[in-house]
Amino acid sequence: MPTQDQAFAHWANDELFYDHLARLLYIEAQHWRPMDLNELRTYVNNERRSHYLEGYNGEYILPNSATSTRETLLYADIITYEEGDPIWSEPSYDDPESLTFPQYPTPWRTCEALQTVGAFTRKGLDLVSSAWAEVDFSGKETSGQSSELAYKMLKSLEGENLISENATNDHVGHLRHRWQLPMYRLDFKRQEVSLEELKEQREVNFWAEVGYDGQDYY
């Protein structure tokens, strides 16, 4: 298994840093609340599939939700579904972001909190690195452990008088309870799923719904 530094460096390469799906999933994952890293890995693996089944029994085969949503907002294109008939797709803005009551993304709130507590100073970065290096988040590590490390980090920053007077309980609470588990060991690359695999899964779903377990009783 690679070291923490090697796993983290995996994110620094161009393949992932400039990959739309990886970046979209990384942002979306900030809102999930898994029990441990293994559960978070399961969530990510489900969301990085190139296509998935939708509907009561998986009647519809759809492209990856994160990338298709992005492309629908940005591009006009000709697309095809399972039947193969091409249709026109144009940008859709049916759900515009509210300008009256803007919703700041969770990563933005995390960065704001980190900046306010002095984590982005030279000394602060060293303290953050030291605190989080205590645990290698690779599998069964929990949100409770993450919260405890965040607390140790905050105490270290406080001890060096790096926390700004603008810091609030909301900033501290966010970092302790809503800052996502470290994800440097998760795979965010697109996972290709074949049409045959999806059709087979749809068939399994259908027979499971009608109560047929695949065995003959005659």
Side-chain angles (χ1 to χ4, degrees):
M1 179 179 291
T3 65
Q4 282 178 285
D5 288 342
Q6 289 171 333
F8 186 77
H10 176 61
W11 264 98
N13 67 49
D14 291 346
E15 181 182 354
L16 280 181
F17 191 78
Y18 293 103
D19 181 81
H20 290 310
L21 177 59
R23 296 169 71 176
L24 289 167
L25 290 185
Y26 191 91
I27 295 297
E28 188 174 343
Q30 306 304 314
H31 304 281
W32 302 337
R33 290 293 170 261
M35 294 296 295
D36 58 28
L37 193 71
N38 281 334
E39 187 172 51
L40 180 58
R41 179 178 284 111
T42 298
Y43 294 165
V44 171
N45 286 342
N46 287 337
E47 295 300 320
R48 67 188 181 92
R49 291 164 61 88
S50 62
H51 295 79
Y52 68 101
L53 297 177
E54 184 64 277
Y56 186 68
N57 285 320
E59 301 95 315
Y60 308 106
I61 295 177
L62 300 179
N64 180 275
S65 177
T67 53
S68 63
T69 298
R70 172 186 179 275
E71 291 167 0
T72 298
L73 289 171
L74 294 176
Y75 306 123
D77 200 358
I78 296 176
I79 61 176
T80 60
Y81 290 108
E82 183 180 358
E83 295 79 7
D85 297 326
I87 63 173
W88 178 252
S89 174
E90 62 185 24
S92 171
Y93 302 97
D94 295 333
D95 186 24
E97 183 176 339
S98 171
L99 298 179
T100 306
F101 302 101
Q103 299 296 314
Y104 295 109
T106 297
W108 184 92
R109 294 182 182 276
T110 301
C111 288
E112 180 194 40
L114 289 169
Q115 189 276 330
T116 305
V117 300
F120 292 152
T121 62
R122 177 62 266 178
K123 181 63 176 178
L125 290 171
D126 291 337
L127 294 173
V128 171
S129 176
S130 177
W132 288 94
E134 292 183 14
V135 177
D136 184 359
F137 282 77
S138 59
K140 297 181 179 180
E141 294 73 26
T142 67
S143 56
Q145 289 174 273
S146 177
S147 177
E148 186 62 29
L149 290 178
Y151 176 76
K152 291 181 179 180
M153 177 196 75
L154 289 166
K155 293 298 291 184
S156 297
L157 293 168
E158 181 183 39
E160 295 293 333
N161 297 315
L162 294 175
I163 297 181
S164 164
E165 62 182 15
N166 296 323
T168 67
N169 287 335
D170 286 342
H171 291 129
V172 173
H174 180 93
L175 293 175
R176 288 208 60 191
H177 306 297
R178 291 183 291 278
W179 191 7
Q180 186 54 279
L181 295 166
M183 297 188 286
Y184 48 79
R185 289 201 182 279
L186 302 188
D187 189 351
F188 285 83
K189 295 191 299 294
R190 175 185 172 98
Q191 179 186 6
E192 295 297 334
V193 182
S194 68
L195 180 60
E196 290 72 22
E197 180 182 346
L198 291 165
K199 287 182 175 180
E200 288 177 5
Q201 184 58 55
R202 183 164 57 186
E203 186 78 6
V204 171
N205 293 349
F206 171 78
W207 288 113
E209 178 63 25
V210 300
Y212 177 60
D213 60 9
Q215 300 185 39
D216 295 325
Y217 298 95
Y218 55 84

